[in-house]
Amino acid sequence: MVNDPRQTAREHLRPDEQLYWAGTSDPGKLFGPRDGFLVPFSLIWTGFVVSSLIGIPRSAGVGPELVIPVALTLVGLHLVFGRFLVKAHRKRTTVYAVTSRRAMIITPRGLREVPIGRTDRTITWSGGRRHCSVEWNAGDPRGAAALLGGAAVTRIYANTGLDGFFGPQLFAFWDVRDGDELVRALDRVAG
C-alpha cells in the first residue's frame, strides 16, 4: 500500500528533476465505461461454462473432458471477480508522478516513464469531473502485437483489471481524484 505518493516519487527523482505532482488512482472507483460490456459478457460466459460442467455425466469420472470446462470456468471467475481484485490491488500500489522531465508510473514491480514533452496524450474526465484519466499514445504496434490487434486490443482492456493480459499496459494515469492539479502540472511542463 502506498502511504505517501510524493515521498515515493521523490525516491525516483534524478538530481536535476523537480517534482510537480504526485498522486494515486482512486481505489473506490472500480467500474468504468468498458464494464457496461464486460460485466454482462462475463456473467453469460461463466454461466454458460458452469452449465456445461454440470452437464458432464458424473459417471464418466475425472478425465480429459473436464480439463477445458474447468479452465474456462477459471477464466470466467477471473472475468467476474478476479479482475476487480487485480484492479483494486493496482490502485492501492501504484503512484503517478509528473516531474520537470518525465511522467512516471511507479509500482512494486518497477518504474515506467515517458518524456514529459510528449503531447500525444488524451485527458478524459468522468461525469461531474470527479475523476481524471490521462492516456499517452501507445504508438504503432510491432510484431505479434500488430498481428493480434495491437493498440486497439490494449485500449479495449485498459483500466479493467484485464489490461496487461493481452499485451502491454497503456501508459496512463487512471481515475485520479485531484485531476485539476494533475492537468495543471502537465500544462506547466508542456508549455
Side-chain angles (χ1 to χ4, degrees):
M1 178 168 246
V2 176
N3 290 328
D4 181 7
R6 293 189 70 76
Q7 181 57 38
T8 301
R10 279 190 202 101
E11 293 169 7
H12 295 276
L13 288 178
R14 296 178 182 149
D16 58 342
E17 270 184 312
Q18 294 177 342
L19 179 63
Y20 292 148
W21 178 87
T24 61
S25 185
D26 181 358
K29 188 170 187 311
L30 292 179
F31 289 96
R34 292 169 182 96
D35 290 310
F37 167 76
L38 286 172
V39 168
F41 173 79
S42 64
L43 292 172
I44 291 168
W45 168 286
T46 306
F48 176 75
V49 173
V50 168
S51 69
S52 72
L53 261 178
I54 293 170
I56 296 175
R58 292 177 192 243
S59 61
V62 177
E65 66 275 359
L66 282 178
V67 172
I68 291 175
V70 167
L72 293 176
T73 300
L74 293 174
V75 169
L77 291 173
H78 181 72
L79 286 171
V80 173
F81 302 110
R83 69 187 184 93
F84 293 107
L85 297 174
V86 169
K87 190 172 179 179
H89 173 74
R90 286 181 183 160
K91 286 175 174 282
R92 283 192 316 271
T93 60
T94 301
V95 170
Y96 305 129
V98 176
T99 74
S100 54
R101 306 183 100 217
R102 56 198 169 133
M104 299 185 291
I105 299 175
I106 306 162
T107 68
R109 299 180 84 190
L111 169 75
R112 295 173 39 209
E113 61 184 64
V114 297
I116 200 62
R118 284 183 53 184
T119 57
D120 59 338
R121 62 179 184 259
T122 303
I123 299 171
T124 54
W125 292 89
S126 66
R129 292 180 63 94
R130 185 165 176 195
H131 296 96
C132 174
S133 294
V134 180
E135 297 177 53
W136 278 263
N137 186 355
D140 293 328
R142 302 186 195 302
L147 180 65
L148 299 172
V153 171
T154 302
R155 286 195 190 292
I156 289 170
Y157 297 109
N159 197 28
T160 64
L162 296 173
D163 43 338
F165 288 105
F166 303 103
Q169 288 181 292
L170 286 176
F171 191 91
F173 294 179
W174 299 113
D175 305 322
V176 174
R177 220 182 282 170
D178 61 338
D180 289 324
E181 290 298 317
L182 168 59
V183 171
R184 266 194 286 284
L186 290 169
D187 288 346
R188 176 180 180 186
V189 292

